[in-house]
Amino acid sequence: MNGNPEPVERKVQLTGGSTYTISLPKEWATTNDVETGTPLVLYPGTDRLVALKRTAEHDDDAITVDVRGVDPEAMKKTLETAYVTGYDEITIESSTGLSAEQRRAARSTVNGLVGVEIQSVTDDSLLVNSLLDGTEVSLRQTVVQMQLTALSMHEDAIRAIVEDDDELARRVADQDDDVDRLFALVSRQFHRGLAEFREIAQLDVDRPTAFAYYRMARQLERVADHAEKTATVATRQHEAPPERFHEELLTLGERARGVLRAALDAGLDEGSVADLQAVFVDRDSVVEDVRAVDRSLYDEDVPEPQLLASVLDSTERIAEYGANVAETGLQSALRTTGQ
């Protein structure tokens, strides 16, 4: 709305025996650019109806960024941010011409994002276009895909450590970009939904649910980061850790992932309050046992204890991320229960 933010309350009336109408005060309608013939689109929700004016296409989804003298890494971050913010057309330009490093950085960035391509290139500009159709993007399925990849990464990372398998560790690290790409997609669709109700309607979820998916995706992106961090231990260690720690590392990793998996399952499928509360209990149990093993590293003559301590820290954090997801799900469950 342009001016008066105050809502108006009107009663639905029956006209002519077959049509429902709502009358609007003329002054209020004029203030908000509504007049005779203004087309309105009604979006039904669980507890509301949202009326939006159907407007002509505009260029609010396009942005031009001046990168003259900008470091390629900073330009890359700017391009990523423009994508996540939701722009469909992103023009990178420089009055002094784009450097070869900037062009390479732009191409590398675009290759790491879902649904965009470089449409045109000149000496001093580069146009990136989105090919995404919001109706074809499922936030839920994207989060599920992130879950499968991130949890598999962490499992393989710990296995690479106990088996001293450098090749497996490198494969884990390579998958981190896949999870980052999916998280950027979820972030983009979520932010577009915040800015424009039509976008959230296309995704076929309400805003609280979209926010929950975004929170889940954020935690999974962090899990993938810790899986990559864990995998680097396999490439840095001089030999596999003492055999007595193998089962503990594998078991604690599985339990931590179990905490996160249970939280995600409950969040995605609207689990009960009791299911979500159980996640916090399991989290506390995992944290307690992880810290006990961490203390034992320094009570015994364990080679390179700092490497295993890093693995244990990441395992604990994954359990904590499960609790973060459960907190979001619990808020939703309590809100539903209280209605």
Side-chain angles (χ1 to χ4, degrees):
M1 296 189 301
N2 292 332
N4 186 3
E6 292 298 322
V8 294
E9 181 175 339
R10 316 300 282 180
K11 287 186 177 181
V12 177
Q13 299 177 348
L14 181 63
T15 303
S18 61
T19 302
Y20 289 110
T21 62
I22 299 176
S23 63
L24 298 175
K26 184 175 181 180
E27 182 179 351
W28 185 93
T30 300
T31 299
N32 291 283
D33 295 332
V34 176
E35 58 186 20
T36 301
T38 298
L40 299 178
V41 181
L42 300 179
Y43 291 93
T46 303
D47 60 349
R48 70 199 67 186
L49 281 174
V50 177
L52 298 180
K53 290 181 290 184
R54 176 180 289 156
T55 57
E57 293 296 324
H58 48 73
D59 59 1
D60 288 353
D61 290 337
I63 188 173
T64 299
V65 181
D66 185 356
V67 296
R68 180 180 53 184
V70 174
D71 177 86
E73 281 302 311
M75 189 203 73
K76 180 177 180 179
K77 185 62 179 177
T78 301
L79 183 52
E80 289 172 345
T81 302
Y83 169 86
V84 168
T85 303
Y87 288 105
D88 285 331
E89 289 189 4
I90 307 167
T91 300
I92 302 296
E93 67 176 19
S94 170
S95 58
T96 57
L98 295 175
S99 68
E101 292 79 8
Q102 288 177 322
R103 293 173 188 275
R104 283 194 292 269
R107 293 186 185 279
S108 172
T109 304
V110 170
N111 290 337
L113 300 173
V114 175
V116 292
E117 68 174 11
I118 295 176
Q119 180 174 329
S120 63
V121 180
T122 66
D123 290 342
D124 56 8
S125 70
L126 183 149
L127 173 61
V128 177
N129 252 14
S130 170
L131 307 176
L132 284 172
D133 181 348
T135 61
E136 297 178 354
V137 177
S138 167
L139 291 183
R140 187 184 193 281
Q141 286 305 115
T142 305
V143 170
V144 169
Q145 188 175 350
M146 290 182 68
Q147 174 184 348
L148 294 173
T149 303
L151 295 185
S152 175
M153 285 174 63
H154 184 250
E155 181 178 4
D156 286 346
I158 293 184
R159 190 158 59 85
I161 290 171
V162 300
E163 296 176 6
D164 200 23
D165 188 337
D166 287 5
E167 180 58 32
L168 179 57
R170 283 190 285 269
R171 290 203 299 270
V172 170
D174 289 342
Q175 293 179 78
D176 187 49
D177 288 342
D178 296 334
V179 177
D180 289 342
R181 186 179 297 114
L182 293 174
F183 177 60
L185 175 60
V186 172
S187 299
R188 172 184 171 85
Q189 299 306 105
F190 171 64
H191 284 101
R192 284 176 68 93
L194 288 181
E196 176 56 70
F197 190 88
R198 291 179 181 86
E199 293 292 332
I200 209 70
Q202 283 187 335
L203 292 172
D204 199 27
V205 295
D206 57 20
R207 289 186 178 184
T209 302
F211 176 66
Y213 288 154
Y214 172 76
R215 284 286 304 274
M216 293 177 195
R218 166 61 79 183
Q219 305 309 305
L220 288 167
E221 188 260 347
R222 291 171 175 167
V223 169
D225 286 344
H226 277 280
E228 181 184 27
K229 176 184 174 184
T230 298
T232 62
V233 171
T235 62
R236 293 172 56 197
Q237 64 187 9
H238 292 94
E239 59 182 359
E243 189 171 347
R244 89 162 193 84
F245 287 102
H246 291 189
E247 189 61 32
E248 288 182 316
L249 291 173
L250 291 168
T251 299
L252 288 171
E254 177 55 38
R255 288 173 60 194
R257 293 190 300 274
V259 171
L260 180 56
R261 191 178 293 112
L264 289 165
D265 289 347
L268 289 169
D269 299 323
E270 299 183 356
S272 68
V273 170
D275 290 336
L276 292 160
Q277 289 173 328
V279 171
F280 298 105
V281 176
D282 292 341
R283 182 274 313 270
D284 291 344
S285 176
V286 170
V287 169
E288 181 179 354
D289 291 346
V290 165
R291 293 180 179 179
V293 175
D294 182 68
R295 288 191 295 272
S296 74
L297 296 177
Y298 300 94
D299 294 337
E300 303 178 25
D301 187 18
V302 177
E304 302 177 305
Q306 74 282 0
L307 294 181
L308 290 187
S310 171
V311 174
L312 291 169
D313 176 69
S314 291
T315 298
E316 178 178 331
R317 287 177 182 272
I318 288 170
E320 293 288 0
Y321 297 150
N324 292 345
V325 171
E327 182 179 356
T328 300
L330 189 59
Q331 292 170 356
S332 177
L334 292 173
R335 186 167 54 245
T336 301
T337 302
Q339 291 179 348

